[in-house]
Amino acid sequence: MNTERIFALDIGTRSIVGLILSYQEDHYTVEKIIQKDHKSRAMLDGQIHHVPAVAELIVEIKEEFEQYYGPLTSVSVAAAGRALITSQARFDLPLSKNQNLSQQDILHMELQAVQLAQEKAAEDENSHHYHCVGYSVLHYMVDGQNIGSLEDQKGDTASVAIIATFLPRIVVESLIASLKRAGLSMGALTLEPIAAINVLIPDSMRKLNIALVDIGAGTSDIAITNDGTVVAYGMVPIAGDEITESLSEHFILDFPLAEETKRKIQTSNTLVISDILGFESEVSQDDMIEALRPSAEKLAAAISEEIMRLNNQNSPKAVMLVGGGSLTPLLPEILSQQLNLLSSRVAIRGIEAVQGLTFKDSITEGPEFITPVGIAIAAKKSPINYVSVTLNAHEVRLFEVKQLLISDALLAGGIKISTMQGKPSPAKLIMLNSQKLTIPGGEGQPPVILLNGLPAQINDPIRPGDDIIIQQGEQGQPFTTRIRDILEEESLDIKVEINTSSYVVKKEIRVNGVVQSPDYELEDRDSVKFNKNLSYLEVIRQAGIDIQKNESKSFRLILDGKRTFFPQWDAKVKVNHLPLRPEFLSGEVKQNDVIEVKGHSKPTAALLLTELALPPHHKIEVSFNGDLIVLNQPSAIIFRNNEPLKDEDSLIYDEELIIHKSSSREFVFQDVFRHSDWQPPTGTTGKVVIQKNGVHASLDEPIKTGDVLELYVS
């Protein structure tokens, strides 16, 4: 019959306890226990502060065991509940008709639930700095009904609900570092109160509301059972060292001597102590106990307060005390008073109370060995085994379930896959006709994942020693967005027929006040103005036909303060062969409309004078020194806002004009000088001769068309 041996270490604040536990057919035997005190205060409140010193002591214990059991390479350990957090989770497994769950299947379900608890805890942004150090099963269920065991059960769905405990990574990493320095790997990890409760309170007792308190040197770890399971874990950073320090201060003792004195209180009626000044004194057991009463009350108060908090402010039915610190005098009776319990309901329990456990003859019984025995048994019953992988050049440890994935390594390494996705390019905010329009940016690229140098996916399986690299995904590239991309294509152009000719009328688009084409690339904060509707008047004008906008009446002007209509200038417009009244020129053009425009004219200043029977100009043509000269003077002048109009200037519908008629007079000889560049000769002295039609004349001689004028020096 094979015998399996388990090497376990309880690395405490004051000492390290190592043991070898043998296992055979559900029976455990404590083969050997070695306890060694730290040579210096290498640990504080359950946390390793000096790894080399702790590793040195581990090596001593390991080498002593190896003399009896041969080389030891792996060890099971526990962590104190310093900075403990807990998380509950449930894992459901659909069952096939003929499926029978084995113990291995059930263990896998438990570990899957632990993984869900870790993911739940990971919602806290700092939770990736925590390691899972143990768990307890809250319930087994088949089809939603609680059941004692899942083994060989039938149903549609099997479920397991657990409560998992997590500690800061530094607590676990310092443990691993100390073991590694001592040449050991961590075979299994648990939490000290989990280890103790697994051996002291079997499943059959967990229906009772019991508090188990593991009092070490630096921490007091607490577990609460009720309704058949472990319902809560907790910790207070006060323990046996509080008692030692009170003795040190009261009797002025060096700390190691105070620790030695504390251990002798229970077995000696009188103690001889030597203080730091070298004076020896004899102290009775009663005086020594009374000296430490305040610190015992302080410790009991901290423990009872945490028990009440974990137990919903209710006192438990009983309290079990384990660990070396549980031997503190007065502690059980003070704790029972503070919890309002009978003194018989608070008891110290040693390894002799563990069911199914035997000892070799040399093993000393006591409460300080409950935790190391529990560590070894927990390593067999509900181990948390860790494997290591490398993530972005950093070692990451994961507790081993049936199949680990890259996603598990990212979770353990504190990398959220969502943060590795490339960021999208910035969106563009466009104002389209005063309405906000958001154009999303290009999507970011997924992260690049390499597994042992090869491309991989997040759900790819991993093995111990794998090298994982995850790189930030590339940022999304901005989209090129043109105006035509945000407008309906058919709304950009209008196809019409005007006077039998085909036209494609472009709608005007303005971006930030500047006319742009539909292919203009939009930038963030651009303001686009676009009129989806084109009027008949706009379309006709774009075709090069200039007609005035007549509202409901014919073309009109305000002349010298009087409103005057000019129906002769009105255009005759037909749309799809039907007459279009002037007031409907502002109506919306439809695709493929057929437009006819007839009888239109472009009113000008000259045309207005003609319509008013005012010849625009009085002019004559004469010959002057052989050159043809045209003399011209207006008969009337049209003013707009006190500015004279030229003959070709267009008139505007319903505008106000002033007409000034010129006083008519005949042209005279000297008027030709305003239309000619003639200059009198220089350097001559003769008589000036002026002639009209060969006859002597004067400069004020009237002239008319056809006259021949001459002026020279004889």
Side-chain angles (χ1 to χ4, degrees):
M1 191 176 295
N2 293 330
T3 299
E4 181 182 352
R5 285 191 174 92
I6 301 169
F7 176 28
L9 285 174
D10 180 10
I11 303 174
T13 302
R14 182 58 41 218
S15 64
I16 299 178
V17 178
L19 65 80
I20 300 293
L21 187 76
S22 61
Y23 169 74
Q24 192 177 66
E25 288 188 349
D26 294 328
H27 184 81
Y28 297 92
T29 301
V30 179
E31 298 275 345
K32 188 175 183 59
I33 295 179
I34 299 174
Q35 181 176 14
K36 291 181 179 290
D37 289 347
H38 293 289
K39 298 179 178 64
S40 61
R41 301 194 73 175
M43 295 187 64
L44 184 63
D45 293 341
Q47 169 63 45
I48 297 175
H49 283 256
H50 196 268
V51 170
V54 173
E56 182 180 350
L57 194 58
I58 293 173
V59 169
E60 292 182 16
I61 295 173
K62 168 177 171 282
E63 290 178 348
E64 191 170 332
F65 277 132
E66 287 178 333
Q67 295 177 12
Y68 299 93
Y69 303 104
L72 300 173
T73 58
S74 177
V75 65
S76 299
V77 292
R82 183 174 180 268
L84 177 74
I85 63 172
T86 62
S87 177
Q88 295 187 22
R90 168 175 160 172
F91 178 74
D92 298 324
L93 178 68
L95 299 176
S96 60
K97 290 184 178 180
N98 299 320
Q99 183 176 1
N100 291 326
L101 292 176
S102 66
Q103 283 293 341
Q104 188 64 30
D105 293 331
I106 297 169
L107 176 60
H108 172 58
M109 289 179 62
E110 293 173 6
L111 293 177
Q112 290 282 28
V114 172
Q115 193 170 27
L116 292 175
Q118 186 176 23
E119 292 173 1
K120 183 179 178 181
E123 295 174 2
D124 178 0
E125 62 181 357
N126 293 320
S127 65
H128 65 273
H129 296 301
Y130 283 75
H131 274 314
C132 178
V133 292
Y135 71 94
S136 297
V137 175
L138 295 174
H139 305 289
Y140 293 117
M141 288 163 280
V142 174
D143 296 338
Q145 299 296 317
N146 288 351
I147 198 163
S149 172
L150 292 177
E151 192 169 6
D152 292 337
Q153 295 288 349
K154 300 290 184 181
D156 295 325
T157 303
S159 305
V160 58
I162 59 93
I163 178 172
T165 55
F166 301 87
L167 283 179
R169 177 178 293 179
I170 186 174
V171 175
V172 179
E173 293 294 337
S174 60
L175 268 175
I176 294 172
S178 299
L179 297 178
K180 186 176 181 180
R181 195 177 182 94
L184 292 168
S185 63
M186 187 173 67
L189 175 66
T190 189
L191 190 69
E192 288 180 1
I194 293 178
I197 211 164
N198 279 341
V199 295
L200 272 185
I201 308 179
D203 292 344
S204 59
M205 292 176 57
R206 294 183 188 180
K207 290 185 179 295
L208 302 175
N209 187 201
I210 301 173
L212 182 141
V213 186
D214 182 0
I215 306 173
T219 63
S220 297
D221 298 312
I222 301 168
I224 307 290
T225 65
N226 202 7
D227 296 329
T229 186
V230 181
V231 295
Y233 294 100
M235 181 277 299
V236 291
I238 300 177
D241 279 354
E242 184 77 18
I243 309 301
T244 305
E245 287 172 357
S246 69
L247 288 176
S248 176
E249 292 178 6
H250 190 274
F251 294 104
I252 321 177
L253 302 177
D254 185 27
F255 190 88
L257 181 57
E259 178 68 23
E260 181 181 344
T261 301
K262 182 184 72 172
R263 296 180 182 180
K264 294 179 179 178
I265 291 177
Q266 299 283 13
T267 59
S268 303
N269 293 326
T270 302
L271 294 94
V272 177
I273 58 175
S274 178
D275 62 25
I276 61 172
L277 300 177
F279 295 105
E280 285 191 356
S281 59
E282 190 174 282
V283 183
S284 69
Q285 183 186 60
D286 291 341
D287 290 342
M288 189 72 69
I289 290 174
E290 283 303 311
L292 57 79
R293 178 182 288 274
S295 58
E297 290 177 343
K298 181 180 178 181
L299 174 59
I303 292 172
S304 62
E305 182 179 341
E306 181 67 3
I307 288 174
M308 294 293 285
R309 185 188 71 83
L310 295 173
N311 206 41
N312 298 318
Q313 301 305 318
N314 296 314
S315 296
K317 299 298 182 184
V319 178
M320 293 184 180
L321 303 178
V322 300
S326 67
L327 298 173
T328 300
L330 305 176
L331 183 61
E333 61 186 78
I334 296 173
L335 196 57
S336 65
Q337 293 170 5
Q338 293 182 351
L339 290 172
N340 294 318
L341 295 174
L342 296 174
S343 58
S344 59
R345 296 293 178 89
V346 180
I348 300 171
R349 305 291 280 169
I351 56 175
E352 67 278 0
V354 178
Q355 299 178 8
L357 183 67
T358 57
F359 313 92
K360 292 294 179 69
D361 294 339
S362 59
I363 301 299
T364 302
E365 298 177 352
E368 63 269 34
F369 300 130
I370 283 287
T371 298
V373 169
I375 293 170
I377 294 177
K380 181 65 179 176
K381 286 188 173 180
S382 55
I384 295 291
N385 298 313
Y386 276 81
V387 299
S388 296
V389 297
T390 302
L391 176 62
N392 287 354
H394 296 284
E395 187 177 26
V396 173
R397 293 180 178 86
L398 306 93
F399 68 88
E400 189 173 17
V401 294
K402 187 174 182 180
Q403 179 61 70
L404 290 171
L405 307 177
I406 289 178
S407 58
D408 301 317
L410 298 182
L411 177 66
I415 296 178
K416 293 183 178 180
I417 193 68
S418 59
T419 64
M420 302 300 291
Q421 180 77 17
K423 295 182 179 179
S425 61
K428 295 177 181 178
L429 180 62
I430 306 298
M431 296 297 293
L432 178 60
N433 290 341
S434 301
Q435 291 186 345
K436 291 182 180 179
L437 179 65
T438 301
I439 301 175
E443 293 185 0
Q445 297 300 307
V448 176
I449 301 175
L450 300 177
L451 178 60
N452 300 321
L454 299 176
Q457 300 296 322
I458 191 171
N459 57 351
D460 284 352
I462 56 175
R463 296 175 298 176
D466 276 350
D467 180 56
I468 304 166
I469 294 176
I470 181 168
Q471 300 171 344
Q472 185 78 35
E474 293 184 1
Q475 181 172 330
Q477 297 300 313
F479 290 132
T480 298
T481 305
R482 301 172 300 171
I483 292 176
R484 67 171 64 254
D485 296 328
I486 65 172
L487 299 175
E488 297 177 358
E489 191 69 29
E490 60 270 16
S491 68
L492 293 173
D493 301 328
I494 295 289
K495 296 179 181 179
V496 295
E497 180 183 303
I498 302 177
N499 291 347
T500 70
S501 297
S502 296
Y503 292 90
V504 177
V505 183
K506 304 288 184 181
K507 295 185 179 180
E508 184 179 83
I509 304 170
R510 289 184 177 269
V511 180
N512 306 324
V514 179
V515 175
Q516 300 289 357
S517 76
D519 292 317
Y520 171 84
E521 293 184 8
L522 291 166
E523 300 293 338
D524 188 35
R525 304 289 175 177
D526 273 349
S527 177
V528 180
K529 298 290 185 180
F530 173 69
N531 184 6
K532 292 185 177 181
N533 302 324
L534 282 176
S535 69
Y536 288 105
L537 182 61
E538 291 174 306
V539 170
I540 292 170
R541 284 180 174 173
Q542 284 198 33
I545 303 173
D546 191 2
I547 65 173
Q548 296 296 319
K549 178 184 177 183
N550 303 341
E551 294 181 346
S552 60
K553 297 181 180 180
S554 297
F555 191 87
R556 67 190 180 198
L557 296 170
I558 301 174
L559 302 178
D560 297 332
K562 182 180 179 182
R563 184 164 294 169
T564 307
F565 292 92
F566 298 88
Q568 61 273 31
W569 294 343
D570 292 344
K572 305 300 185 290
V573 180
K574 288 185 177 181
V575 175
N576 300 325
H577 311 295
L578 297 176
L580 184 70
R581 292 170 57 184
E583 60 266 31
F584 294 128
L585 279 171
S586 59
E588 180 185 353
V589 176
K590 302 295 190 298
Q591 285 282 5
N592 302 314
D593 272 349
V594 177
I595 303 172
E596 299 174 71
V597 183
K598 295 182 179 180
H600 66 282
S601 58
K602 181 179 180 181
T604 61
L607 186 59
L608 175 59
L609 292 176
T610 300
E611 292 293 337
L612 296 176
L614 293 173
H617 296 278
H618 171 54
K619 65 180 180 179
I620 62 172
E621 295 181 358
V622 297
S623 172
F624 176 63
N625 288 346
D627 295 327
L628 181 64
I629 301 296
V630 177
L631 287 77
N632 189 352
Q633 65 179 7
S635 59
I637 301 175
I638 302 175
F639 287 88
R640 173 192 291 152
N641 299 326
N642 297 322
E643 292 291 332
L645 298 182
K646 298 178 183 178
D647 289 350
E648 64 274 15
D649 286 343
S650 296
L651 304 182
I652 302 172
Y653 177 82
D654 212 25
E655 70 174 331
E656 187 171 355
L657 302 174
I658 303 297
I659 301 176
H660 288 174
K661 297 179 181 178
S662 301
S663 56
S664 59
R665 68 174 182 85
E666 293 181 337
F667 290 104
V668 296
F669 196 114
Q670 63 183 3
D671 288 333
V672 299
F673 299 128
R674 291 186 293 106
H675 298 82
S676 171
D677 56 359
W678 180 87
Q679 295 291 331
T682 59
T684 59
T685 57
K687 181 179 179 181
V688 176
V689 178
I690 301 172
Q691 289 185 341
K692 182 181 80 169
N693 300 324
V695 178
H696 178 74
S698 63
L699 291 178
D700 57 358
E701 182 80 20
I703 59 177
K704 62 182 183 299
T705 295
D707 285 346
V708 177
L709 308 179
E710 291 180 290
L711 188 152
Y712 58 90
V713 178
S714 61

